[in-house]
Amino acid sequence: MLAGLYGWPWFYWRLKSRGFGESFLPRLGLRLPAKNHDARLTRIWLHGVSVGEIAAAEPLVKELEHQAPQVQLLLSTGTETGQTVARRLYPPPKNVFYYPLDLPWTVRRYLEHLQPTIYAALETEIWPNFLMTAKRRGVKLALLNGRLSENSFRNYFRFSCYLKYIIQLFDLIAAASAEDAERFMALGAPPGKVFTTGTTKFERRQNPESWTQAKIFQEIWRPQGAPLLLAASTHPGEEEVIIRAYQALCRPYPALQLALAPRHPERAAPVGQLLSQAGLPFHSWHRLKNGLEQRRESVVLVDTVGDLFALYHLANLVFVGGSLVPHGGQNILEPAAWGKVPLYGPHLNNFTAARAMLESVAAGWPVSNLQELIQAGQYCLSHPKEMQERGRRGLRALEEHQGAARRQAELLQGLIPG
């Protein structure tokens, strides 16, 4: 009881300190989602914790809408940045809301209110209280894009006696790879419930909406012919390296531009301080995007949510962050979907299959430190035709890995009663 009383103020303070707070009441179950049930439809609840997971659900959502018009989709996120992207990608009549904290009374309120037929977690999102409560209420449980890195598997295996019960609650596990499937079964998942489908992160492709957005961004960006380095989804400890690499690359390429996009936009202020300390004047992307400034500087700090995918189209050189520091990496397939050759650091354990696929066709470029990043950048900028050909090879490799969303949609329909 005392932990709960002290925990709520801490949770609210933590949200507000990061510039958030909107999710506080919904996640505690004190403000429930809108209820627009149609009794004739089967309700499938898809949950993605943040931006990457909820964006990767887009191909699955389209497949379900195509294959199963009798389904009503509910989509939740655990973060406010994820919520912003979800609201843009999945407008009404889809129901988008915050995921409840894993507290008994909060979970019960949500399940009684929404009454889902199927609940599907995207990637390895395991909340024991939620899963046990949903199972008791007769909700079918699925885990999609299921992924277990070697480190995660070792950590989970230490608690396999407990986790075996939790894993066996799932009626369906759609694993990202055969290796992931083996690891889930080693943790206790029944083989008959585990399928290797691949991941929908391989299937986020250019579409009419993203092309339209990219063309609008190109008009805002303006300079034609000047090369652009886009440093995407960077984490603390990486921005300093990017800034030094950019300054070094500006010597042979004085017209080079930089778009620096921290993984969490609420870090824009400290990242902006780093740029100022390096003597680099910059624009804030939200001000350019909203017409509050005209483009003058060569550096832009991307401080918005949901724009990164389309911005890849503008880039000549791409670095994907979370990889020079031991974070596990971010999605290197999004720039590849635009025919770009992503550069990334050695810490890419969350995207080992994607890395192997791109590197097998020379469409991904690993770097270990500042010097290697500068050398790779110089080569890419001085060999544009070669980079275009490598990018085309990456696109062809992506096309060969399509089908995860279709297969997952079919498996989910198999869980619909009757």
Side-chain angles (χ1 to χ4, degrees):
M1 180 67 71
L2 287 174
L5 288 173
Y6 285 111
W8 290 10
W10 176 86
F11 178 53
Y12 183 70
W13 171 84
R14 185 170 181 269
L15 288 170
K16 292 299 288 183
S17 67
R18 297 172 62 192
F20 298 138
E22 177 192 84
S23 62
F24 179 70
L25 293 178
R27 297 208 66 195
L28 283 172
L30 301 176
R31 182 183 297 153
L32 293 172
K35 189 173 182 178
N36 54 352
H37 293 351
D38 186 332
R40 299 166 298 175
L41 302 179
T42 298
R43 286 179 291 281
I44 297 182
W45 178 347
L46 301 177
H47 172 61
V49 62
S50 193
V51 174
E53 294 79 15
I54 205 69
E58 189 176 15
L60 174 61
V61 168
K62 290 181 178 178
E63 277 291 338
L64 285 169
E65 289 177 328
H66 173 69
Q67 291 186 26
Q70 79 281 13
V71 162
Q72 182 178 20
L73 293 177
L74 316 173
L75 297 109
S76 65
T77 71
T79 68
E80 297 191 11
T81 51
Q83 189 77 185
T84 300
V85 172
R87 289 170 182 169
R88 181 175 60 79
L89 290 176
Y90 314 114
K94 300 180 191 69
N95 195 352
V96 174
F97 52 92
Y98 286 104
Y99 191 76
L101 292 178
D102 204 33
L103 303 171
W105 64 277
T106 305
V107 168
R108 284 197 302 270
R109 289 202 76 197
Y110 265 72
L111 290 171
E112 289 169 3
H113 181 70
L114 295 172
Q115 299 179 354
T117 308
I118 299 169
Y119 167 79
L122 302 168
E123 293 207 17
T124 313
E125 274 286 295
I126 298 175
W127 295 102
N129 186 64
F130 182 97
L131 295 174
M132 289 186 288
T133 306
K135 191 72 172 180
R136 286 195 296 268
R137 294 180 62 88
V139 179
K140 296 291 185 179
L141 303 176
L143 178 61
L144 308 180
N145 296 341
R147 186 168 51 83
L148 279 175
S149 68
E150 186 176 345
N151 287 340
S152 296
F153 174 69
R154 281 199 301 265
N155 291 333
Y156 286 157
F157 196 76
R158 292 161 53 196
F159 305 98
S160 57
C161 292
Y162 169 68
L163 277 173
K164 181 178 181 179
Y165 171 72
I166 301 299
I167 293 292
Q168 289 180 347
L169 293 173
F170 285 104
D171 299 282
L172 160 68
I173 295 177
S177 70
E179 190 175 46
D180 292 308
E182 290 292 334
R183 288 170 177 163
F184 279 111
M185 287 187 284
L187 288 177
K193 295 182 179 180
V194 181
F195 302 84
T196 302
T197 62
T199 172
T200 57
K201 284 193 171 181
F202 280 55
E203 300 197 22
R204 194 172 186 209
R205 305 294 302 278
Q206 307 162 18
N207 55 44
E209 293 84 3
S210 60
W211 267 109
T212 299
Q213 192 179 30
K215 289 175 181 177
I216 293 170
F217 291 172
Q218 181 66 70
E219 283 298 309
I220 297 169
W221 207 271
R222 290 291 181 188
Q224 300 289 334
L228 169 63
L229 162 60
L230 171 55
S233 300
T234 58
H235 287 251
E238 293 182 315
E239 287 93 6
E240 295 90 339
V241 177
I242 294 299
I243 290 169
R244 292 175 64 187
Y246 170 69
Q247 290 174 318
L249 290 169
C250 278
R251 287 192 278 272
Y253 298 96
L256 183 65
Q257 306 166 83
L258 171 65
L260 181 51
R263 175 68 179 83
H264 299 103
E266 63 268 23
R267 293 187 55 246
V271 175
Q273 289 178 357
L274 291 175
L275 289 168
S276 297
Q277 290 166 7
L280 295 173
F282 64 92
H283 293 284
S284 294
W285 173 241
H286 83 275
R287 293 185 63 81
L288 288 177
K289 180 182 173 183
N290 293 310
L292 302 176
E293 293 180 5
Q294 292 298 312
R295 183 73 193 287
R296 296 182 305 275
E297 309 298 345
S298 296
V299 179
V300 175
L301 176 58
V302 181
D303 54 354
T304 59
V305 174
D307 293 342
L308 185 59
F309 185 65
L311 284 171
Y312 281 123
H313 174 62
L314 280 62
N316 304 86
L317 178 63
V318 173
F319 170 81
V320 179
S323 57
L324 280 176
V325 294
H327 174 77
Q330 301 297 154
N331 193 349
I332 59 175
L333 296 177
E334 289 192 348
W338 289 95
K340 311 298 178 179
V341 178
L343 279 59
Y344 42 80
H347 303 287
L348 212 64
N349 19 346
N350 291 338
F351 293 90
T352 52
R355 174 177 182 165
M357 183 193 71
L358 291 183
E359 290 183 10
S360 70
V361 293
W365 194 315
V367 296
S368 297
N369 50 46
L370 170 63
Q371 194 55 43
E372 289 186 9
L373 178 58
I374 295 170
Q375 291 171 352
Q378 287 178 330
Y379 188 92
C380 292
L381 291 171
S382 60
H383 296 81
K385 290 185 178 178
E386 179 185 335
M387 291 303 108
Q388 289 171 6
E389 175 53 32
R390 289 193 187 196
R392 283 192 287 268
R393 293 205 295 265
L395 268 175
R396 287 195 292 270
L398 271 175
E399 289 169 359
E400 293 170 4
H401 285 78
Q402 303 301 292
R406 175 186 54 78
R407 180 66 174 134
Q408 289 178 11
E410 291 169 352
L411 289 169
L412 285 176
Q413 289 179 83
L415 296 180
I416 298 174

